Amino acid sequence: MPVSAPDIAAASTAPEAGARDPGFGIYVHWPFCVSLCPYCDFNSHVAERVDHQRWRAALTTELAHFRDRTRDNVVTSVFFGGGTPSLMQPETVARVIDAVRTGWHSAPDLEITLEANPSSAEAAKFRALRDAGVNRLSLGVQSFDDAALRFLGRRHSAAEAKRAIAVAAENFPRFSFDLIYGLPGQTADDWKQQLREALELAGGHLSCYQLTIESGTPFHKGGVEAADEATGATLYDVTQEALSAAGLALYEISNHARPGHECRHNVSGWRGSNYLGVGPGAHSRLTEAGRAEASHRILKPQRWLAKVEATGHGTAKTMALSTQARIEELVMTGLRLSEGISRRRFARLTGRELEGVLDKGGLKRMTDGGFVASDDIGLRATPKGRLCLNAVLGQLLAQG
Amino acid sequence: MTEDLSRIRNFAIVAHIDHGKSTLADRLIQMCGGLPEREMKEQVLDTMEIERERGITIKAQTVRLAYKAKDGQTYQLNLMDTPGHVDFTYEVSRSLAACEGSILLVDATQGVEAQTLANAYLAVEAGHEIVPVLNKIDLPAAEPGRAREQIAEVVGLDVSGAIEISAKTGQGVDRVLEALVKRLPPPTGDVHAPLKALLVDSWYDSYLGVMILVRVKDGIVKRGMKIRMMATGATHQVEQVGYFTPKPQQTDALGSGEIGFITAAIKTVADTDVGDTITEDRRAAAVPLPGFKPSVPVVWCGLFPVDAGAFEDLRDSLAKLHLNDASFHYEPESSAALGLGFRCGFLGLLHLEIIQQRLEREFDLDLVTTAPSVVYRVRTTDGGVKELHNPVDMPDPVKIASIEEPWINATIIVPDEFLGAVLALCTERRGRQIELTYVGGRAMARYRLPLNEVVFDFYDRLKSVSRGYASFDYELAGYEESDLVNVSILVNSEPVDALAFIVHRSHAESRGRVICEKLKDLIPRQLFKIAIQAAIGGRIIARTTVGALRKDVTAKCYGGDVTRKRKLLEKQKKGKKRMRQFGNVEIPQSAFLVALKTGE
């Protein structure tokens, strides 16, 4: 449902939210972690030693490389993801932010998020990170249960996490933390307890992910099984109940926020706005001379670094995105949002009418079955449809 | 060409499957020098890969042997190899009509089996002189005495002259050759009379075109002669005349009493009627030889390509196979659930299986077969009679006066210890016992059974309840009115044409339930719940439900996840081309395919 968010137009979940749509985000990937978590399939690496000087230079070099062709955009968000970006030296973070601010026009309410581990060591750096320019912190808490944290391979304790949340709350106007549910054996009551503890500490934003066993991860190799479908559905329902009662409405499949506290960077991406990604494995969606293209950087940190130092950028592959591919991405990500897909924005981005590109039979079945709903503003998944979005997308995007 | 008929012997070897018929044939060829040693390979007469592999012969094959007998004379022996399986009983009798005698070959370690009996009777009916031969006496398990007793008691033949041999080692085979000359009658006929030759079989040879296997009764057929097919009236110029050694060997003429082949620029096997009489166009015989009625398919099923794009390939492959085997029928069929395919008719289940395997193996096709059906006779209320082999064609129940189904007379021979289980199986399949006799530790049961119960996994069950020891043979035995119903399988209230079947009312519910349960496991859960039902007309007799999906959503979708997810979606879309819409759900064709493939 559209939510009125008068405070920050660009971050509003209202589909027609003013001048900052489209937004333009810059993603910065920091690939290093202290240790690897057995469930994680992100581009993460443990390094003996990181030459911060070189990395600082490489990240800003790659930013500069892309500046010319993207400088017409007004940057609305910067997002430091990883890996563990809280392991970056605040100086590096500051230099990257500085490079963005001097290289592009940026929105006055520029959102700068950094992902952080809630360990004591890193909590001690929060202040410095704020001083470097970060204005939103996203903490990888994952659980308030020590046994669960050990199972998940996290290095922090529940108590440490709680202290880190408090430090974040003191230093950042907006912050979030992540939780994982659907751990083997976890019951609805266990999860409710986790949510109660979370709500005592939560700011304006919470992300709750169901544990997914990704292929290639230690959990996958070790035969850890994800919660079955019925349990997953129950835990999801429990989440919605607890968080909506607390005023943290669902705005994306796994993300909840009070109005105005949504992650603008992610919302902008899900709405189909362009973004630039720098750092190992970072993805971009850019439009060059009216043609959309997708690209990503070299995954391996050392190879990326060497490439950037040699040629100024670490791009591994650039692909043209067909209108059909654009349409599919917009529908895929747009329906993840509670606000759904705005007709007007869809037409602007693709030159096509939303209804015209969807499978007619599929759309009718999904509408009649109560999986999607539409009105003048746009098309959105209903709560029931959201829970089975993969299957719903299969129905809507049957053509092409 | 031999003008002296007294030095010709035409004979067949009749036996149960695996009793060593082909091995004996090989040995006879070898002992008469038919093939150089280096060209001898096991079972030289079975030319097709599948035939060799399964030890069965489908097409009639002949070989001419020159045997120098103890009397100092050289005889022309024509060995007619006959199909050795229940489905081809009719083909056996055709081949036997071209001979004057038979070797009844019995495996001394096994004794008389169902097809021993059936084929021996066919030889008796053909008026053959029969030489009983006991094979595999080199094996420790051989009990020639017991086998003799069974031949005498069950088959009713004089066994005093039975010959004990080992086709494998060659032991006693010389005595078989001598017995052929001494005990079988020479053919009769008038070499000077107008040509009368029996068209025994025909097949397509990629080098020579259509080859016709003939047995000359009267007169002579020679190269260049203009021949006439007496039944069809078609005339052809004979191009080649020859015989097999077993390699094709050209000669100038075939005369009265001889067996051999002719080619005459005939385009397809379908242009030759097996059982027809061939005569000379210029000097025609007045009366044809007693013919055969054409063999008719008794088992039908749908054959569909798993990959819809392979339909054309399937059509071409069927046409190619049909060149060589006109006994199977095929016509295009369109199924809502399975797409385009063919409705095919076969002489029996094995025949079906052989054709299916040849299509898959020789033509590299991936096929699915719908449940085999027999040919029903439906009498409608307006007095009409309709032959029906596809449940889809069943008339509206209110227009049906009665339905008749084909029955068979089955002979099952089984060791005593498994008799109880075999009888129970026959009863379960609506069988009626005709006769039960015991000979030397084995029982012979004769049953009247509905054919549709036999085409539904009867062989497999018979084998499993008898641990492979039961042997089975059957002959068609007319139609009987029966309480048959057409069971349709419904997915979300829509019928799945390919899964419909006709069954006796007493079995409808259990069979329907089995299919519903199977589909329940095969159909992936979807956004809507799916009702699977079996129904007779409007009455539901079995039902299962596939519950709706509860959760199916990717937890995280950032950056690179988007690309990955889109690729996944593209893969899904490709899969969708194989989907069939049933109301508000889509069922992958593979669910139906697997349901049909896995059988019971």
Side-chain angles (χ1 to χ4, degrees):
Chain A
M1 289 299 293
V3 177
S4 67
D7 46 352
I8 308 162
S12 163
T13 54
E16 301 308 302
R20 300 262 158 59
D21 177 33
F24 183 77
I26 292 179
Y27 176 84
V28 181
H29 193 79
W30 185 261
F32 302 110
C33 291
V34 173
S35 62
L36 296 183
C37 302
Y39 56 88
C40 178
D41 73 333
F42 284 1
N43 187 23
S44 307
H45 305 264
V46 175
E48 290 266 305
R49 206 189 72 83
V50 176
D51 185 336
H52 288 268
Q53 297 275 359
R54 281 179 70 195
W55 277 85
R56 191 177 301 159
L59 286 170
T60 50
T61 300
E62 196 168 45
L63 273 173
H65 172 83
F66 287 105
R67 188 184 56 216
D68 283 354
R69 64 176 94 165
T70 58
R71 66 187 318 160
D72 290 347
N73 294 284
V74 175
V75 177
T76 48
S77 61
V78 177
F79 194 105
F80 292 88
T84 311
S86 53
L87 297 176
M88 291 169 86
Q89 290 180 347
E91 170 66 8
T92 306
V93 174
R95 292 281 294 279
V96 169
I97 293 171
D98 191 47
V100 171
R101 287 194 183 277
T102 55
W104 285 264
H105 292 291
S106 48
D109 51 3
L110 178 67
E111 173 193 89
I112 303 174
T113 305
L114 184 136
E115 291 182 335
N117 263 348
S119 70
S120 318
E122 284 157 285
K125 282 165 76 177
F126 290 174
R127 175 83 194 235
L129 288 167
R130 186 194 71 185
D131 293 343
V134 174
N135 57 24
R136 183 173 178 273
L137 204 70
S138 176
L139 289 162
V141 170
Q142 317 310 3
S143 176
F144 293 109
D145 178 86
D146 283 334
L149 288 169
R150 279 193 296 277
F151 171 75
L152 292 169
R154 306 297 294 176
R155 292 285 185 93
H156 62 266
S157 67
E160 254 184 303
K162 287 178 180 172
R163 280 195 297 274
I165 293 170
V167 177
E170 281 165 26
N171 285 286
F172 298 97
R174 297 162 80 231
F175 75 93
S176 174
F177 56 89
D178 294 357
L179 295 175
I180 296 179
Y181 66 89
L183 308 187
Q186 188 178 39
T187 65
D189 283 342
D190 296 340
W191 176 231
K192 278 180 196 165
Q193 177 56 33
Q194 292 294 311
L195 287 169
R196 268 195 294 275
E197 295 192 41
L199 285 170
E200 281 172 23
L201 305 161
H205 193 284
L206 257 186
S207 300
C208 300
Y209 300 104
Q210 180 175 339
L211 177 65
T212 309
I213 308 302
E214 304 288 354
S215 72
T217 60
F219 270 180
H220 183 250
K221 291 172 195 159
V224 173
E225 282 184 27
D228 62 43
E229 197 188 314
T231 308
T234 304
L235 297 179
Y236 192 85
D237 289 345
V238 163
T239 312
Q240 305 319 311
E241 231 168 83
L243 298 192
S244 66
L248 286 155
L250 178 91
Y251 72 95
E252 191 261 359
I253 302 288
S254 303
N255 287 286
H256 298 254
R258 294 186 207 291
H261 284 260
E262 299 86 358
C263 174
R264 284 171 225 161
H265 179 81
N266 287 334
V267 168
S268 165
W270 288 321
R271 283 176 175 174
S273 293
N274 281 339
Y275 48 91
L276 168 65
V278 297
H283 284 249
S284 294
R285 289 287 182 282
L286 298 175
T287 307
E288 290 247 41
R291 279 203 307 275
E293 62 173 47
S295 68
H296 64 265
R297 282 358 97 205
I298 294 166
L299 276 165
K300 290 255 164 31
Q302 291 313 316
R303 288 192 42 222
W304 173 85
L305 184 66
K307 182 82 190 305
V308 173
E309 288 175 344
T311 68
H313 70 89
T315 300
K317 196 173 177 184
T318 305
M319 286 167 302
L321 275 181
S322 65
T323 307
Q324 182 61 29
R326 278 288 276 161
I327 288 170
E328 282 168 12
E329 290 193 355
L330 279 171
V331 175
M332 262 168 43
T333 57
L335 289 181
R336 293 182 70 85
L337 292 164
S338 305
E339 66 181 32
I341 305 162
S342 134
R343 272 174 215 293
R344 207 192 295 171
R345 186 185 300 119
F346 187 86
R348 191 187 71 223
L349 292 172
T350 66
R352 307 280 300 274
E353 288 296 321
L354 177 58
E355 256 81 2
V357 303
L358 301 177
D359 182 85
K360 273 199 175 53
L363 179 59
K364 181 168 181 350
R365 285 192 291 281
M366 293 303 93
T367 309
D368 293 350
F371 294 96
V372 297
S374 64
D375 55 24
D376 291 347
I377 294 169
L379 177 78
R380 66 197 70 85
T382 62
K384 168 176 147 185
R386 214 175 288 134
L387 203 48
C388 294
L389 190 61
N390 291 348
V392 171
L393 288 170
Q395 293 285 313
L396 297 178
L397 297 173
Q399 304 297 309
Chain B
M1 192 191 98
T2 307
E3 293 212 14
D4 184 359
L5 270 59
S6 71
R7 281 199 273 156
I8 300 175
R9 296 292 183 276
N10 296 318
F11 71 103
I13 306 173
V14 293
H16 190 74
I17 190 166
D18 288 339
H19 277 203
K21 183 157 62 90
S22 296
T23 312
L24 175 57
D26 290 354
R27 198 62 59 220
L28 292 173
I29 293 166
Q30 192 183 26
M31 291 180 77
C32 295
L35 270 184
E37 205 60 39
R38 66 187 157 79
E39 286 184 32
M40 282 300 294
K41 47 183 169 178
E42 293 283 294
Q43 306 184 5
V44 287
L45 291 186
D46 294 346
T47 48
M48 279 184 281
E49 182 194 356
I50 288 175
E51 292 191 1
R52 188 168 301 129
E53 207 170 274
R54 304 178 61 154
I56 51 177
T57 305
I58 302 164
K59 286 291 188 186
Q61 308 253 342
T62 63
V63 58
R64 181 188 285 194
L65 308 169
Y67 173 60
K68 191 154 193 273
K70 289 197 175 131
D71 62 8
Q73 303 280 347
T74 299
Y75 289 84
Q76 179 194 120
L77 304 183
N78 288 303
L79 161 59
M80 175 79 71
D81 196 16
T82 55
H85 189 275
V86 280
D87 286 354
F88 307 108
T89 304
Y90 193 62
E91 284 58 33
V92 174
S93 61
R94 259 171 24 195
S95 302
L96 295 183
C99 304
E100 287 75 40
S102 288
I103 293 170
L104 176 67
L105 187 67
V106 177
D107 183 338
T109 67
Q110 304 288 321
V112 169
E113 299 282 8
Q115 285 150 50
T116 315
L117 193 64
N119 289 336
Y121 285 161
L122 291 174
V124 171
E125 267 172 47
H128 279 195
E129 188 63 42
I130 297 169
V131 179
V133 173
L134 304 172
N135 191 18
K136 305 193 188 178
I137 55 156
D138 57 314
L139 296 181
E143 293 183 83
R146 201 154 148 187
R148 269 171 198 268
E149 183 197 351
Q150 289 170 355
I151 295 173
E153 289 202 17
V154 182
V155 190
L157 291 179
D158 175 13
V159 289
S160 58
I163 305 167
E164 297 184 5
I165 66 157
S166 165
K168 199 170 106 195
T169 65
Q171 182 191 346
V173 177
D174 53 335
R175 290 170 54 213
V176 174
L177 284 164
E178 230 11 67
L180 290 172
V181 169
K182 293 255 172 60
R183 286 158 63 178
L184 300 194
T188 56
D190 181 356
V191 76
H192 302 293
L195 173 66
K196 256 190 203 181
L198 179 68
L199 199 165
V200 181
D201 205 348
S202 62
W203 62 88
Y204 188 82
D205 181 282
S206 45
Y207 298 106
L208 301 171
V210 172
M211 300 184 84
I212 299 175
L213 185 66
V214 295
R215 159 66 200 271
V216 181
K217 292 283 187 180
D218 290 324
I220 296 169
V221 59
K222 45 183 154 188
R223 208 183 307 164
M225 180 187 268
K226 194 174 184 191
I227 53 166
R228 188 198 305 166
M229 307 294 194
M230 291 184 77
T232 65
T235 57
H236 303 278
Q237 193 91 25
V238 174
E239 287 183 342
Q240 290 183 30
V241 176
Y243 53 88
F244 298 97
T245 66
K247 288 196 287 188
Q249 205 75 45
Q250 289 201 41
T251 182
D252 294 331
L254 291 172
S256 178
E258 291 188 313
I259 295 175
F261 69 85
I262 57 175
T263 67
I266 298 169
K267 291 217 176 55
T268 75
V269 169
D271 295 335
T272 60
D273 278 357
V274 169
D276 201 350
T277 303
I278 297 170
T279 191
E280 187 178 358
D281 187 46
R282 202 159 46 79
R283 194 165 74 108
V287 187
L289 297 162
F292 303 120
K293 47 184 193 314
S295 54
V296 283
V298 294
V299 177
W300 290 78
C301 71
L303 283 182
F304 292 86
V306 168
D307 173 6
F311 172 75
E312 312 267 295
D313 291 344
L314 174 59
R315 189 186 55 201
D316 295 349
S317 306
L318 280 167
K320 271 187 202 145
L321 282 186
H322 199 256
L323 280 180
N324 214 354
D325 181 0
S327 65
F328 82 85
H329 290 225
Y330 68 104
E331 54 207 45
E333 180 179 18
S334 168
S335 156
L338 302 180
L340 288 178
F342 288 92
R343 190 78 187 163
C344 303
F346 303 94
L347 302 177
L349 268 187
L350 180 82
H351 191 209
L352 184 163
E353 218 178 292
I354 287 168
I355 296 289
Q356 188 196 351
Q357 285 193 7
R358 292 191 63 188
L359 287 168
E360 296 195 315
R361 236 190 263 182
E362 294 171 32
F363 298 95
D364 202 22
L365 292 165
D366 196 2
L367 296 175
V368 66
T369 316
T370 62
S373 167
V374 301
V375 180
Y376 297 95
R377 226 172 251 167
V378 180
R379 295 186 188 279
T380 47
T381 46
D382 59 8
V385 181
K386 192 179 170 184
E387 296 227 318
L388 174 146
H389 55 72
N390 191 343
V392 171
D393 300 330
M394 184 70 97
D396 189 329
V398 300
K399 289 188 186 142
I400 298 173
S402 63
I403 306 176
E404 292 169 17
E405 64 178 328
W407 286 65
I408 60 168
N409 285 335
T411 303
I412 299 167
I413 295 182
V414 64
D416 281 352
E417 48 184 315
F418 304 116
L419 180 64
V422 168
L423 296 185
L425 174 64
C426 289
T427 305
E428 178 202 315
R429 297 303 169 91
R430 301 189 280 134
R432 297 200 293 261
Q433 198 180 89
I434 305 167
E435 193 188 327
L436 186 59
T437 48
Y438 298 87
V439 185
R442 314 172 87 194
M444 180 179 79
R446 285 184 191 276
Y447 263 82
R448 197 167 159 76
L449 280 160
L451 182 60
N452 91 342
E453 298 286 348
V454 175
V455 301
F456 183 68
D457 84 344
F458 182 82
Y459 296 155
D460 291 345
R461 289 289 313 281
L462 183 65
K463 265 189 232 150
S464 91
V465 301
S466 68
R467 294 211 208 118
Y469 283 109
S471 63
F472 173 81
D473 200 280
Y474 73 87
E475 56 187 12
L476 293 172
Y479 277 75
E480 275 183 34
E481 190 176 326
S482 188
D483 188 8
L484 296 165
V485 290
N486 192 10
V487 177
S488 40
I489 301 297
L490 310 170
V491 171
N492 272 357
S493 304
E494 283 190 41
V496 183
D497 55 3
L499 296 181
F501 58 94
I502 295 168
V503 69
H504 192 260
R505 192 179 296 277
S506 62
H507 292 175
E509 194 184 320
S510 58
R511 292 267 310 270
R513 186 169 308 286
V514 166
I515 295 183
C516 289
E517 291 293 337
K518 202 188 289 172
L519 278 178
K520 184 188 171 187
D521 294 338
L522 290 170
I523 294 178
R525 292 198 299 141
Q526 311 208 10
L527 290 166
F528 301 93
K529 73 173 184 208
I530 305 164
I532 303 164
Q533 299 163 314
I536 301 171
R539 195 168 61 84
I540 305 300
I541 54 170
R543 115 181 3 245
T544 53
T545 306
V546 178
L549 264 180
R550 284 201 59 195
K551 187 165 193 265
D552 176 22
V553 61
T554 311
K556 292 191 174 191
C557 191
Y558 304 99
D561 300 333
V562 179
T563 308
R564 238 185 303 168
K565 188 121 189 0
R566 181 162 49 78
K567 285 187 177 151
L568 203 72
L569 200 72
E570 247 143 54
K571 229 189 252 171
Q572 267 178 25
K573 267 198 284 188
K574 277 196 192 119
K576 257 196 188 320
K577 299 207 169 102
R578 291 268 190 86
M579 300 280 229
R580 251 278 284 152
Q581 195 76 41
F582 283 86
N584 51 13
V585 299
E586 280 160 326
I587 314 286
Q589 212 182 62
S590 62
F592 302 127
L593 296 176
V594 176
L596 286 166
K597 271 207 162 164
T598 50
E600 183 92 341

